[in-house]
Amino acid sequence: QVRLVESGGGLVHPGGSLRLSCAASGSIFSMNAMGWYRQAPGKQRELVAHITSGGITNYADSVKGRFTISRDNAKNAVYLQMNSLKPEDTAVYYCNGVFVQGAWGQGTQVTVSS
């Protein structure tokens, strides 16, 4: 049973942009802060951005000012607009709840390279 499905990744040059999308189940999405996580080679999975059910956002220092997280409660969807991408943003990106979580999905690969 698919609960979290990420899409929108790809290969971009430094300075480029991508928009990631996540389709979540209602049981995970409802009344729960949603986040985007990433895992780079040799690194632990980290939370890069999250958004509360009320729309309050927070970002890791490494992406602040470049990434924007948003959600559409009617669609059980969360998005991540990524601008001014850097090679260090290269990772597999996942969505999930922050406190109430489901099984991790496949993620979507983001590669930033010149």
Side-chain angles (χ1 to χ4, degrees):
Q1 184 177 1
V2 177
R3 294 299 187 99
L4 295 162
V5 181
E6 302 92 347
S7 62
L11 173 64
V12 297
H13 296 299
S17 297
L18 285 171
R19 182 176 182 264
L20 307 185
S21 298
C22 171
S25 69
S27 62
I28 296 172
F29 195 91
S30 299
M31 300 180 66
N32 186 27
M34 296 296 297
W36 282 97
Y37 304 76
R38 69 185 182 189
Q39 187 167 30
K43 301 291 185 179
Q44 295 185 130
R45 185 177 61 226
E46 63 172 335
L47 179 66
V48 299
H50 74 268
I51 182 167
T52 70
S53 60
I56 299 173
T57 60
N58 195 48
Y59 302 90
D61 288 342
S62 60
V63 308
K64 194 171 296 182
R66 301 187 297 118
F67 291 10
T68 303
I69 188 171
S70 60
R71 65 192 290 162
D72 186 332
N73 292 339
K75 295 180 179 180
N76 290 343
V78 60
Y79 308 96
L80 187 67
Q81 178 66 47
M82 306 187 295
N83 298 324
S84 302
L85 284 162
K86 303 175 179 180
E88 51 262 45
D89 295 319
T90 296
V92 178
Y93 284 72
Y94 305 86
C95 65
N96 214 329
V98 175
F99 297 104
V100 178
Q101 295 189 326
W104 295 96
Q106 281 280 96
T108 185
Q109 176 72 51
V110 171
T111 302
V112 185
S113 177
S114 59

